[in-house]
């Protein structure tokens, strides 16, 4: 059965290298699997894409390490990326021939909810995926906005978690 929020906070540090993004996204997927959440192939790929986008934005724009936290709230899977830049993120206007600038539009399209908020370290950029827990206690994650509600989710600063350095 998926663990409740108090038992599941998990965080790790990502070095300020774009080459570290693939390992970070796989680490998030591995953590979700350890939480007992059953993701199909399509949703696992969505989780990888969303994680890659928010982590890549952080390391590209700050050129500093960031902390990635993964939480199971009992209803939602939440991934948070904390970095040192206090500038909140928002989708940019990418031109037709631009090679970047569309990542947050993907996050907005695939995540149940997402956002960026200030914190003592700088800012937290986060996304959530709604989770439906079956009778057997396994979760199935859906990226549908239909499962979103007005509940405010917990930020990285309001729950204690295990922080582990990630090998570069």
């Amino acid at each position: 059965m998926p663990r409740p929020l108090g038992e599941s906070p998990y965080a790790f540090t990502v070095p300020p290298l774009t080459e570290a993004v693939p390992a970070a996204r796989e680490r998030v997927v591995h953590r979700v699997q350890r939480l007992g959440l059953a993701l199909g192939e399509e949703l696992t790929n969505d989780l990888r894409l969303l994680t890659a986008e928010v982590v890549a934005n952080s390391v590209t724009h700050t050129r500093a390490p960031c902390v990635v936290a993964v939480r199971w709230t009992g209803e939602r899977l939440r991934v948070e990326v904390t970095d040192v830049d206090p500038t909140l993120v928002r989708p940019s206007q990418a031109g037709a021939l631009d090679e970047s600038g569309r990542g947050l539009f993907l996050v907005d399209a695939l995540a149940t909810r997402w956002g960026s908020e200030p914190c003592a370290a700088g800012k937290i950029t986060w996304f959530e995926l709604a989770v439906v827990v079956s009778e057997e206690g396994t979760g199935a994650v859906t990226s549908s906005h239909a499962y979103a509600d007005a509940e405010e989710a917990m930020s990285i600063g309001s729950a204690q978690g295990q922080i582990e350095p990630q090998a570069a």
Side-chain angles (χ1 to χ4, degrees), residues 6-39:
E7 297 176 29
S8 68
Y10 170 81
F12 59 94
T13 301
V14 178
L17 307 166
T18 56
E19 297 83 13
V21 173
R25 72 179 177 222
E26 292 309 312
R27 196 162 176 181
V28 167
V29 169
H30 178 72
R31 179 59 179 176
V32 169
Q33 291 167 342
R34 290 200 49 172
L35 288 171
L37 299 174
L39 282 73

Short mmCIF file of all heavy atoms in Angstrom, two decimals, residues 6-39:
data_model
loop_
_atom_site.label_atom_id
_atom_site.label_comp_id
_atom_site.label_asym_id
_atom_site.label_seq_id
_atom_site.Cartn_x
_atom_site.Cartn_y
_atom_site.Cartn_z
N GLY A 6 3.64 11.54 5.65
CA GLY A 6 4.64 11.63 6.69
C GLY A 6 5.77 10.64 6.55
O GLY A 6 6.86 10.85 7.06
N GLU A 7 5.52 9.53 5.87
CA GLU A 7 6.54 8.50 5.72
C GLU A 7 7.29 8.59 4.41
O GLU A 7 8.25 7.88 4.22
CB GLU A 7 5.89 7.12 5.83
CG GLU A 7 5.25 6.85 7.16
CD GLU A 7 4.53 5.51 7.18
OE1 GLU A 7 4.94 4.61 6.45
OE2 GLU A 7 3.56 5.40 7.93
N SER A 8 6.84 9.44 3.49
CA SER A 8 7.40 9.37 2.15
C SER A 8 8.28 10.52 1.68
O SER A 8 8.82 10.43 0.60
CB SER A 8 6.28 9.18 1.14
OG SER A 8 5.48 10.34 1.07
N PRO A 9 8.46 11.63 2.41
CA PRO A 9 9.32 12.68 1.85
C PRO A 9 10.71 12.13 1.55
O PRO A 9 11.27 11.36 2.32
CB PRO A 9 9.37 13.74 2.94
CG PRO A 9 8.17 13.50 3.76
CD PRO A 9 7.92 12.02 3.70
N TYR A 10 11.23 12.51 0.43
CA TYR A 10 12.52 12.03 -0.05
C TYR A 10 13.11 13.13 -0.90
O TYR A 10 12.40 13.71 -1.73
CB TYR A 10 12.30 10.76 -0.88
CG TYR A 10 13.50 10.27 -1.64
CD1 TYR A 10 14.47 9.52 -0.99
CD2 TYR A 10 13.66 10.54 -2.98
CE1 TYR A 10 15.57 9.04 -1.68
CE2 TYR A 10 14.75 10.06 -3.68
CZ TYR A 10 15.70 9.31 -3.03
OH TYR A 10 16.79 8.85 -3.72
N ALA A 11 14.37 13.44 -0.70
CA ALA A 11 15.00 14.51 -1.48
C ALA A 11 16.44 14.17 -1.78
O ALA A 11 17.08 13.41 -1.04
CB ALA A 11 14.91 15.84 -0.73
N PHE A 12 16.94 14.73 -2.87
CA PHE A 12 18.33 14.55 -3.24
C PHE A 12 18.82 15.78 -3.99
O PHE A 12 18.03 16.56 -4.52
CB PHE A 12 18.54 13.27 -4.08
CG PHE A 12 17.74 13.25 -5.37
CD1 PHE A 12 18.31 13.69 -6.56
CD2 PHE A 12 16.44 12.79 -5.39
CE1 PHE A 12 17.59 13.66 -7.75
CE2 PHE A 12 15.71 12.75 -6.56
CZ PHE A 12 16.29 13.18 -7.76
N THR A 13 20.12 15.97 -4.00
CA THR A 13 20.73 17.13 -4.65
C THR A 13 21.17 16.76 -6.06
O THR A 13 21.73 15.69 -6.29
CB THR A 13 21.95 17.60 -3.82
OG1 THR A 13 21.50 17.93 -2.50
CG2 THR A 13 22.61 18.81 -4.45
N VAL A 14 20.92 17.67 -6.98
CA VAL A 14 21.35 17.51 -8.37
C VAL A 14 22.44 18.54 -8.64
O VAL A 14 22.25 19.73 -8.38
CB VAL A 14 20.17 17.73 -9.34
CG1 VAL A 14 20.62 17.59 -10.79
CG2 VAL A 14 19.04 16.76 -9.04
N PRO A 15 23.58 18.10 -9.16
CA PRO A 15 24.64 19.06 -9.48
C PRO A 15 24.22 19.98 -10.63
O PRO A 15 23.32 19.64 -11.41
CB PRO A 15 25.82 18.18 -9.88
CG PRO A 15 25.25 16.85 -10.20
CD PRO A 15 23.95 16.73 -9.48
N PRO A 16 24.87 21.13 -10.75
CA PRO A 16 24.47 22.12 -11.76
C PRO A 16 24.95 21.77 -13.17
O PRO A 16 25.60 22.58 -13.84
CB PRO A 16 25.10 23.40 -11.24
CG PRO A 16 26.33 22.94 -10.53
CD PRO A 16 25.94 21.62 -9.89
N LEU A 17 24.60 20.61 -13.64
CA LEU A 17 25.03 20.14 -14.95
C LEU A 17 23.82 19.60 -15.71
O LEU A 17 23.07 18.78 -15.15
CB LEU A 17 26.06 19.02 -14.82
CG LEU A 17 27.28 19.28 -13.95
CD1 LEU A 17 28.00 17.98 -13.64
CD2 LEU A 17 28.19 20.27 -14.66
N THR A 18 23.64 19.99 -16.95
CA THR A 18 22.53 19.43 -17.72
C THR A 18 22.71 17.93 -17.91
O THR A 18 21.72 17.20 -18.05
CB THR A 18 22.40 20.11 -19.10
OG1 THR A 18 23.64 20.01 -19.80
CG2 THR A 18 22.00 21.57 -18.94
N GLU A 19 23.94 17.45 -17.84
CA GLU A 19 24.19 16.01 -17.95
C GLU A 19 23.63 15.23 -16.76
O GLU A 19 23.48 14.01 -16.83
CB GLU A 19 25.70 15.73 -18.07
CG GLU A 19 26.35 16.31 -19.30
CD GLU A 19 26.73 17.80 -19.16
OE1 GLU A 19 26.72 18.34 -18.03
OE2 GLU A 19 27.01 18.42 -20.20
N ALA A 20 23.32 15.91 -15.67
CA ALA A 20 22.78 15.26 -14.47
C ALA A 20 21.26 15.08 -14.53
O ALA A 20 20.70 14.35 -13.72
CB ALA A 20 23.16 16.07 -13.22
N VAL A 21 20.61 15.71 -15.50
CA VAL A 21 19.15 15.66 -15.58
C VAL A 21 18.62 14.24 -15.81
O VAL A 21 17.69 13.81 -15.12
CB VAL A 21 18.62 16.65 -16.64
CG1 VAL A 21 17.12 16.48 -16.86
CG2 VAL A 21 18.95 18.08 -16.23
N PRO A 22 19.17 13.45 -16.75
CA PRO A 22 18.64 12.09 -16.94
C PRO A 22 18.71 11.23 -15.68
O PRO A 22 17.75 10.51 -15.37
CB PRO A 22 19.51 11.51 -18.06
CG PRO A 22 19.99 12.71 -18.81
CD PRO A 22 20.19 13.77 -17.77
N ALA A 23 19.80 11.32 -14.93
CA ALA A 23 19.91 10.54 -13.70
C ALA A 23 18.89 11.01 -12.67
O ALA A 23 18.29 10.20 -11.95
CB ALA A 23 21.32 10.63 -13.13
N ALA A 24 18.64 12.30 -12.60
CA ALA A 24 17.65 12.84 -11.65
C ALA A 24 16.25 12.35 -11.99
O ALA A 24 15.51 11.93 -11.11
CB ALA A 24 17.69 14.37 -11.65
N ARG A 25 15.90 12.37 -13.26
CA ARG A 25 14.54 11.93 -13.60
C ARG A 25 14.36 10.44 -13.35
O ARG A 25 13.30 10.01 -12.91
CB ARG A 25 14.18 12.32 -15.03
CG ARG A 25 14.86 11.55 -16.09
CD ARG A 25 14.43 11.97 -17.48
NE ARG A 25 15.20 11.21 -18.44
CZ ARG A 25 15.72 11.69 -19.53
NH1 ARG A 25 15.56 12.95 -19.86
NH2 ARG A 25 16.41 10.92 -20.33
N GLU A 26 15.40 9.63 -13.58
CA GLU A 26 15.29 8.19 -13.29
C GLU A 26 15.23 7.94 -11.80
O GLU A 26 14.55 7.01 -11.34
CB GLU A 26 16.44 7.42 -13.94
CG GLU A 26 16.37 7.42 -15.46
CD GLU A 26 15.01 6.98 -16.00
OE1 GLU A 26 14.46 5.94 -15.55
OE2 GLU A 26 14.48 7.69 -16.88
N ARG A 27 15.90 8.77 -11.03
CA ARG A 27 15.85 8.63 -9.58
C ARG A 27 14.44 8.93 -9.06
O ARG A 27 13.95 8.26 -8.14
CB ARG A 27 16.88 9.57 -8.95
CG ARG A 27 17.19 9.25 -7.54
CD ARG A 27 18.47 9.89 -7.12
NE ARG A 27 18.70 9.64 -5.72
CZ ARG A 27 19.73 10.09 -5.05
NH1 ARG A 27 20.64 10.81 -5.66
NH2 ARG A 27 19.87 9.82 -3.77
N VAL A 28 13.76 9.91 -9.64
CA VAL A 28 12.38 10.22 -9.27
C VAL A 28 11.47 9.04 -9.61
O VAL A 28 10.66 8.62 -8.79
CB VAL A 28 11.90 11.52 -9.96
CG1 VAL A 28 10.40 11.69 -9.83
CG2 VAL A 28 12.64 12.72 -9.38
N VAL A 29 11.62 8.49 -10.81
CA VAL A 29 10.80 7.34 -11.21
C VAL A 29 11.03 6.17 -10.26
O VAL A 29 10.08 5.51 -9.81
CB VAL A 29 11.07 6.94 -12.67
CG1 VAL A 29 10.44 5.60 -13.02
CG2 VAL A 29 10.57 8.02 -13.61
N HIS A 30 12.29 5.92 -9.92
CA HIS A 30 12.60 4.82 -9.01
C HIS A 30 11.94 5.04 -7.65
O HIS A 30 11.38 4.12 -7.05
CB HIS A 30 14.12 4.67 -8.86
CG HIS A 30 14.53 3.60 -7.92
ND1 HIS A 30 14.41 2.26 -8.21
CD2 HIS A 30 15.05 3.67 -6.67
CE1 HIS A 30 14.84 1.55 -7.18
NE2 HIS A 30 15.23 2.38 -6.23
N ARG A 31 11.97 6.27 -7.15
CA ARG A 31 11.35 6.56 -5.86
C ARG A 31 9.84 6.32 -5.91
O ARG A 31 9.25 5.75 -4.98
CB ARG A 31 11.65 7.99 -5.43
CG ARG A 31 11.02 8.39 -4.12
CD ARG A 31 11.47 7.50 -2.99
NE ARG A 31 10.86 7.91 -1.75
CZ ARG A 31 11.01 7.28 -0.60
NH1 ARG A 31 11.77 6.22 -0.54
NH2 ARG A 31 10.43 7.72 0.47
N VAL A 32 9.21 6.74 -6.99
CA VAL A 32 7.76 6.53 -7.13
C VAL A 32 7.45 5.04 -7.13
O VAL A 32 6.48 4.60 -6.49
CB VAL A 32 7.25 7.22 -8.41
CG1 VAL A 32 5.82 6.82 -8.73
CG2 VAL A 32 7.35 8.74 -8.26
N GLN A 33 8.25 4.25 -7.80
CA GLN A 33 8.05 2.80 -7.80
C GLN A 33 8.23 2.24 -6.40
O GLN A 33 7.47 1.37 -5.98
CB GLN A 33 9.01 2.14 -8.79
CG GLN A 33 8.67 2.47 -10.22
CD GLN A 33 9.76 2.10 -11.20
OE1 GLN A 33 10.92 1.88 -10.84
NE2 GLN A 33 9.40 2.03 -12.47
N ARG A 34 9.21 2.73 -5.64
CA ARG A 34 9.42 2.26 -4.26
C ARG A 34 8.27 2.64 -3.35
O ARG A 34 8.03 1.97 -2.35
CB ARG A 34 10.73 2.82 -3.70
CG ARG A 34 11.93 2.17 -4.39
CD ARG A 34 13.14 2.31 -3.59
NE ARG A 34 12.87 1.91 -2.21
CZ ARG A 34 13.79 1.79 -1.29
NH1 ARG A 34 15.04 2.03 -1.58
NH2 ARG A 34 13.48 1.44 -0.06
N LEU A 35 7.56 3.71 -3.68
CA LEU A 35 6.39 4.11 -2.90
C LEU A 35 5.20 3.19 -3.17
O LEU A 35 4.19 3.29 -2.49
CB LEU A 35 5.99 5.56 -3.21
CG LEU A 35 6.92 6.63 -2.65
CD1 LEU A 35 6.54 8.00 -3.21
CD2 LEU A 35 6.89 6.63 -1.14
N GLY A 36 5.31 2.32 -4.15
CA GLY A 36 4.25 1.38 -4.46
C GLY A 36 3.19 1.94 -5.40
O GLY A 36 2.12 1.37 -5.53
N LEU A 37 3.50 3.05 -6.06
CA LEU A 37 2.55 3.63 -7.01
C LEU A 37 2.73 2.96 -8.36
O LEU A 37 3.83 2.93 -8.91
CB LEU A 37 2.77 5.14 -7.12
CG LEU A 37 2.59 5.92 -5.82
CD1 LEU A 37 2.97 7.37 -6.01
CD2 LEU A 37 1.16 5.80 -5.33
N ALA A 38 1.66 2.43 -8.91
CA ALA A 38 1.70 1.73 -10.19
C ALA A 38 1.49 2.73 -11.32
O ALA A 38 0.42 3.30 -11.46
CB ALA A 38 0.63 0.65 -10.23
N LEU A 39 2.52 2.95 -12.10
CA LEU A 39 2.43 3.84 -13.25
C LEU A 39 2.52 3.00 -14.51
O LEU A 39 3.38 2.13 -14.60
CB LEU A 39 3.59 4.83 -13.26
CG LEU A 39 3.53 6.03 -12.33
CD1 LEU A 39 3.75 5.62 -10.91
CD2 LEU A 39 4.54 7.04 -12.77
#
